[in-house]
Structure formats: structure tokens, C-alpha cells
């Protein structure tokens, strides 16, 4: 058993069982090296903080057909993306694990109607084509051995004060049960046009306690 104090002031221990030997005040923080998880000392013992942590991010320095983020597997994933526009009008799309097979289905709705996609090669992030700015966030349930459930939403167009953004939300399946999602790619869909410089994507992840 090894217990050390890191340069950042928290305890580092080899295994979860080593936490029991640390007697310190409530509010202390410890990291279990074997799991890379952090724990907080509470009145009833050490508890995993189970906090969301950034596990991947990318920003396009110049226009490109896609933006890709790779990350460590987590059971729960949050994603944020801002497409700074495209070289011409198209529907933005997301794929997981570089999978372009017919493994996706989705239903996306905006202010006026819905669009359904079955056996798709990716999930549309917007119901209508646009070359304007898009802001988007999503949540993924990402367990090994089960189909991945995914929902996303965000304002669409209207990146100025005199134009109200459109509302959009969607539900989707990534129908691959084996393994977990460890990468996400946003592109311009079948149009194959460029996403503009400044397009960004950030991914957070967490596991259960």
C-alpha cells in the first residue's frame, strides 16, 4: 500500500481499499491510481465524486470536411459542438467510432415538423440544410453490450439579435451493442462541404459511482 500527497494537495492511493486507512477531515480529496477516479471524504466515508470530466476536445484551425474527437470510454457522455458555418448549405451529421454503416436511426423535430431517419449512415444534427452557425449539445448512454441511446438539441440559425433561433431536438439510436463509443465525428453529411475554421467540439464523460 502506498499513500502519497500529490503536488496538487490531494491524496494518491493504489487501490480503493487503501482509502480506509486515511483518517482526515471531511472534504479531503483522494485519487485512486488504479481506477483514475477521485473520491471525496464525507461524514459517512469516502464517496466517488462521479463528476463530469473533459475527455476530449478539438477546434478546427482551418476549414475541413469534418471535426473528430477521440476519447476514453465512459458509460455516460455529454457533447457540445458549435459549427461556425459551412462553405455551402448542408445538414450537419454525427457518426460514432468512424462507423459509416447503416447503424443509426433518429427522429428530429423543429418548430414546425419532424423528420425520421431509419438505417442511416449517421445522425442528422439539423432537420434543414444551412450554411449558418449551429450550436448543439447531446447526451449518450454508452454501456458495453447495449444499443447506444442518444438525444441532442440546440438552437439552429438565428445567430444575431434580430432573428430568433429555431428550436430543435432529436432522439437517436446507434444500434451497435458490442463495445463503447470512443470517438465522434461531425461533418456536413452527404454534401461533403467544409466546416469553417473555429468549429469546435468538447466531450465530457463519467462512469457510475
Amino acid at each position: 500500500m502506498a499513500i502519497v500527497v500529490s503536488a496538487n494537495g490531494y491524496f494518491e492511493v493504489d487501490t480503493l481499499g487503501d482509502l480506509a486507512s486515511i483518517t482526515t477531515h471531511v472534504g479531503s480529496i483522494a485519487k485512486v491510481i488504479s481506477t483514475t477516479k477521485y473520491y471525496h471524504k464525507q461524514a459517512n466515508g469516502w464517496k466517488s465524486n462521479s463528476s463530469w470530466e473533459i475527455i476530449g476536445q478539438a477546434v478546427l484551425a482551418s476549414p475541413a470536411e469534418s471535426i473528430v474527437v477521440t476519447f476514453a470510454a465512459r458509460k455516460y457522455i455529454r457533447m457540445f459542438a458549435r459549427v461556425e458555418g459551412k462553405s455551402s448549405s448542408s445538414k450537419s451529421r454525427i457518426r460514432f467510432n468512424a462507423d459509416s454503416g447503416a447503424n443509426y436511426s433518429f427522429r428530429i423535430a423543429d418548430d414546425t415538423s419532424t423528420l425520421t431517419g431509419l438505417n442511416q449512415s449517421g445522425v442528422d444534427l439539423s432537420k434543414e440544410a444551412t450554411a449558418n452557425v449551429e450550436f448543439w449539445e447531446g447526451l449518450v448512454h454508452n454501456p458495453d453490450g447495449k444499443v447506444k441511446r442518444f438525444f441532442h438539441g440546440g438552437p439552429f440559425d438565428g445567430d444575431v439579435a434580430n432573428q430568433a433561433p429555431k428550436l430543435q431536438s432529436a432522439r437517436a439510436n446507434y444500434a451497435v451493442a458490442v463495445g463503447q463509443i470512443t470517438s465522434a465525428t461531425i461533418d456536413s453529411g452527404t454534401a461533403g462541404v467544409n466546416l469553417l475554421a473555429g468549429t469546435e467540439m468538447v466531450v465530457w464523460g463519467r462512469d457510475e459511482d
Side-chain angles (χ1 to χ4, degrees):
M1 178 182 66
I3 300 174
V4 299
V5 178
S6 74
N8 294 319
Y10 55 78
F11 295 99
E12 290 185 338
V13 298
D14 291 330
T15 67
L16 184 60
D18 294 337
L19 291 175
S21 63
I22 301 178
T23 57
T24 185
H25 62 279
V26 170
S28 295
I29 299 174
K31 177 182 179 182
V32 179
I33 298 172
S34 61
T35 65
T36 70
K37 287 186 177 181
Y38 291 85
Y39 291 79
H40 282 90
K41 182 65 176 295
Q42 300 180 13
N44 59 344
W46 290 92
K47 302 294 182 181
S48 169
N49 60 6
S50 293
S51 60
W52 293 97
E53 59 177 337
I54 292 177
I55 55 177
Q57 56 188 321
V59 180
L60 292 184
S62 58
E65 290 187 4
S66 64
I67 183 169
V68 182
V69 175
T70 59
F71 44 86
R74 295 289 189 274
K75 187 173 182 179
Y76 305 101
I77 296 173
R78 295 178 62 188
M79 299 178 177
F80 160 88
R82 178 182 171 93
V83 177
E84 284 295 333
K86 296 188 280 288
S87 56
S88 63
S89 185
S90 70
K91 292 183 182 180
S92 296
R93 172 181 63 188
I94 190 167
R95 288 170 166 167
F96 300 123
N97 294 348
D99 185 354
S100 59
N103 294 315
Y104 307 84
S105 62
F106 62 86
R107 185 184 304 273
I108 184 169
D110 64 9
D111 299 348
T112 60
S113 61
T114 63
L115 173 69
T116 298
L118 303 176
N119 301 312
Q120 299 292 299
S121 61
V123 174
D124 286 355
L125 297 182
S126 58
K127 194 173 74 65
E128 301 175 9
T130 184
N132 296 333
V133 170
E134 298 170 78
F135 170 90
W136 166 87
E137 61 181 340
L139 287 171
V140 184
H141 185 221
N142 187 36
D144 187 10
K146 295 182 180 179
V147 168
K148 313 307 183 276
R149 308 289 184 175
F150 169 51
F151 72 87
H152 69 79
F156 171 74
D157 282 345
D159 200 37
V160 291
N162 64 353
Q163 180 183 355
K166 298 177 181 178
L167 300 177
Q168 293 196 136
S169 64
R171 301 296 182 266
N173 294 326
Y174 176 47
V176 174
V178 178
Q180 291 178 280
I181 294 169
T182 56
S183 73
T185 302
I186 292 178
D187 61 20
S188 60
T190 57
V193 301
N194 281 341
L195 311 179
L196 299 187
T199 293
E200 62 177 315
M201 180 163 49
V202 183
V203 180
W204 289 263
R206 62 166 286 180
D207 284 318
E208 295 175 307
D209 290 349

